[in-house]
Amino acid sequence: MKNKHFLILAIALFGLLAMSFNKSKVTKPNIVLIYIDDMGYGDIARYGAQGYTTPNFDQMAAEGISFTQFYSPQAVCTASRAGLLTGCYPNRLGFSGAIDHTSKIGINSDEETIAELLKDQGYATAAYGKWHLGHLPKFLPTNHGFDEFFGIPYSHDMWPNHPVNKNYYPALPLIQNLETIETNPDNTQFTTWFTEKTVDFITRKKDQPFFVYLAHPMPHVPLGVSSKFKGKSKQGLYGDVIMEIDWSLGQVRETLKKLKLDENTLVIVTSDNGPWFNYGNHAGSTGGLREGKGSTYDGGQKVPCLMSWKGKIPSGLVSSSLSSAIDILPTIVDATGAKMPKRRIDGLSLMEVLNGKTDAKPRETFLYYYRRNNLEAVRHGDWKLVFPHPGRTYEGFSPGKDGMPGGANENHSFAGGLYDLRRDPGERYNLMFDYPEITKQLNEIADNAREDLGDALTQKEGKNRREIGRIDN
């Protein structure tokens, strides 16, 4: 009898241990990070798009959280991606602008990406789509924490058929891991290819924690859409492209649901910067914000952001908390239990907000840098102080059409001003002289930023900027 009781007890204990083991296998959430190129704040239905539908974006928003005050790290491709993957202001790492085929620089090996942090925790990692953090082998994804890469090394307008700079760029490479497998690939297949790769990776890695970074090259020009969506929207080719990206999101989320991974997967979708306005009908919408890509006015950096995690993020949340893509790395670290980077970062975890604390404000301040290292504006709370600076303006120029760019003044002299973004999101009413105490407070924030990160406008070097990666280091 004692032996029988002992056997029953042993079986019960074994069962508990097995349950504990199985539970431990699913405690690390999967991460799907989708970064869309040049999609404006007003380009999906949730944020005001017209002339096409985005049912998968809408469904994700209904089941998760929509951010209404979310900013890209900078208003341009390379710098924005550096900020996303490292949690730093890009200029802290030496990044500015958009690097091309002539660049001998890229992400420094001393910087830790999201992929490297998660790989240390046993995650399978992959990047599909556009990289743009250095095209030389040393800088490509598989040397920065990703097990797999399939995509293009920089923007796909950097090819021989550029509409303005014909034959300046070499053939565009399509790269698998470190090998060029094709040149000048068919961009009408980009969204389909990179989606299929993502779905395949999720399916192959379903039994272990995974991180997949899907960086869509679209809707950056030149636009391309597959036959599945060509001619489907009332907004021409641009609307077709957004509808296909919406389809892509649906494919990824349906795969997670089918594999019963949706309750253990954090999905994040956002854009690298605002729309490239001078491309006219091949550019998106800021939803009424001022200026666009390449500008530190909010049309250039305020972007849509959605996050979902079934059972963790309450359904239908809307957050007006100030936040940025530099906050994604520490949020993922918080969600997964990974270690923070050894070097200083600028991002802050948004997990309080994701957990439903809608009044939480992890971030109070944001710095708007552009060009070489120009501190062009600072935001604190609802207030934004713009400093006098030369910059891009699209105002006063006729936009281009059907893939040809229109004009823009790259060195317009902006006078700056103080704006209350709660009442004036279009940044049109300068209140600098009405609120001198607010102006003083934001100037003090700017002075501290200049000491830390520098400011080319005021000839400040900054004490804590780091060296960008070079082929000789």
Side-chain angles (χ1 to χ4, degrees):
M1 183 66 72
K2 287 183 179 179
N3 289 339
K4 184 178 180 181
H5 288 161
F6 177 79
L7 181 61
I8 293 170
L9 180 61
I11 291 171
L13 286 172
F14 180 79
L16 288 171
L17 285 171
M19 288 174 61
S20 176
F21 176 73
N22 288 333
K23 186 177 180 181
S24 70
K25 286 178 67 177
V26 298
T27 51
K28 291 181 180 178
N30 308 306
I31 307 294
V32 176
L33 175 56
I34 301 175
Y35 215 43
I36 301 170
D37 200 327
D38 287 7
M39 186 173 79
Y41 187 77
D43 276 347
I44 57 179
R46 189 77 174 189
Y47 294 86
Q50 301 178 45
Y52 53 85
T53 59
T54 55
N56 293 297
F57 282 109
D58 298 347
Q59 186 65 27
M60 183 173 171
E63 294 175 357
I65 185 169
S66 311
F67 289 85
T68 64
Q69 300 293 323
F70 194 91
Y71 289 83
S72 65
Q74 273 196 29
V76 67
C77 301
T78 295
S80 178
R81 289 154 208 276
L84 170 75
L85 291 178
T86 67
C88 294
Y89 284 115
N91 49 312
R92 185 177 296 286
L93 313 182
F95 277 101
S96 62
I99 57 181
D100 66 11
H101 67 289
T102 65
S103 299
K104 308 295 190 211
I105 57 174
I107 185 168
N108 195 313
S109 297
D110 291 335
E111 305 298 344
E112 295 174 271
T113 67
I114 296 171
E116 288 171 304
L117 299 175
L118 293 182
K119 195 172 176 65
D120 285 346
Q121 298 295 309
Y123 278 69
T125 59
Y128 302 118
K130 174 179 168 179
W131 178 239
H132 218 171
L133 292 176
H135 72 286
L136 299 173
K138 175 179 179 178
F139 306 124
L140 289 175
T142 52
N143 285 320
H144 292 276
F146 291 96
D147 299 325
E148 302 178 15
F149 172 58
F150 177 79
I152 55 177
Y154 36 68
S155 300
H156 64 286
D157 66 335
M158 296 177 178
W159 70 321
N161 296 323
H162 190 282
V164 176
N165 299 312
K166 286 275 187 197
N167 297 315
Y168 167 72
Y169 298 103
L172 177 70
L174 179 65
I175 299 173
Q176 184 163 314
N177 297 331
L178 296 173
E179 179 185 355
T180 296
I181 60 172
E182 187 179 338
T183 56
N184 294 333
D186 180 2
N187 74 352
T188 67
Q189 299 305 304
F190 279 176
T191 301
T192 297
W193 286 345
F194 302 139
T195 302
E196 290 175 347
K197 286 287 186 180
T198 300
V199 167
D200 175 67
F201 179 80
I202 291 171
T203 303
R204 285 188 286 115
K205 303 300 180 181
K206 64 182 183 298
D207 295 325
Q208 70 177 103
F210 59 78
F211 166 53
V212 59
Y213 172 49
L214 170 56
H216 284 296
M218 303 291 167
H220 190 297
V221 291
L223 298 180
V225 69
S226 74
S227 58
K228 297 188 295 294
F229 288 92
K230 190 172 183 179
K232 298 295 185 182
S233 84
K234 295 179 181 178
Q235 291 289 359
L237 185 55
Y238 191 88
D240 298 347
V241 168
I242 297 293
M243 289 180 70
E244 186 160 37
I245 293 171
D246 180 80
W247 163 84
S248 170
L249 176 61
Q251 293 293 296
V252 171
R253 297 188 76 231
E254 183 58 34
T255 299
L256 294 170
K257 183 178 180 181
K258 181 177 69 175
L259 297 174
K260 298 182 172 23
L261 298 173
D262 50 339
E263 292 190 5
N264 196 42
T265 304
L266 170 60
V267 182
I268 302 170
V269 183
T270 188
S271 173
D272 70 339
N273 48 246
W276 207 347
F277 261 171
N278 57 332
Y279 276 89
N281 65 339
H282 281 202
S285 166
T286 67
L289 302 173
R290 186 172 177 179
E291 298 293 355
K293 175 178 178 174
S295 169
T296 48
Y297 284 100
D298 271 18
Q301 279 190 255
K302 189 176 179 181
V303 291
C305 179
L306 305 174
M307 300 187 193
S308 66
W309 186 356
K310 187 176 179 181
K312 293 290 196 300
I313 299 176
S315 297
L317 283 184
V318 178
S319 173
S320 60
S321 295
L322 177 60
S323 45
S324 168
I326 63 174
D327 300 324
I328 287 176
L329 180 148
T331 303
I332 290 174
V333 165
D334 214 353
T336 62
K339 294 179 180 178
M340 288 288 283
K342 299 177 188 69
R343 290 179 151 193
R344 174 182 174 182
I345 69 167
D346 302 292
L348 300 167
S349 173
L350 303 174
M351 280 304 297
E352 271 193 305
V353 180
L354 301 192
N355 288 332
K357 296 181 180 178
T358 54
D359 57 345
K361 297 186 182 299
R363 174 172 297 284
E364 293 279 0
T365 300
F366 185 74
L367 309 176
Y368 301 76
Y369 274 90
Y370 199 61
R371 299 208 168 176
R372 184 169 68 85
N373 195 36
N374 293 2
L375 180 60
E376 296 184 357
V378 298
R379 177 171 173 173
H380 186 76
D382 291 328
W383 294 96
K384 181 177 178 181
L385 180 62
V386 178
F387 304 108
H389 66 275
R392 176 185 295 176
T393 185
Y394 301 99
E395 294 184 7
F397 295 88
S398 296
K401 188 177 181 182
D402 298 337
M404 290 298 296
N409 183 349
E410 298 293 336
N411 287 291
H412 178 74
S413 182
F414 288 103
L418 177 70
Y419 303 99
D420 178 358
L421 297 181
R422 184 182 67 83
R423 294 187 296 165
D424 178 25
E427 299 171 89
R428 294 296 180 182
Y429 300 93
N430 180 6
L431 302 176
M432 184 181 294
F433 301 107
D434 300 277
Y435 294 91
E437 70 285 359
I438 300 292
T439 302
K440 180 182 177 182
Q441 181 187 16
L442 269 66
N443 269 313
E444 289 171 353
I445 291 170
D447 287 340
N448 290 332
R450 292 177 182 120
E451 288 296 314
D452 180 22
L453 291 171
D455 175 21
L457 293 173
T458 56
Q459 288 80 53
K460 293 278 188 180
E461 286 297 321
K463 297 176 181 177
N464 298 305
R465 295 177 66 205
R466 305 200 286 260
E467 182 68 15
I468 199 167
R470 302 181 187 279
I471 57 172
D472 57 350
N473 67 11

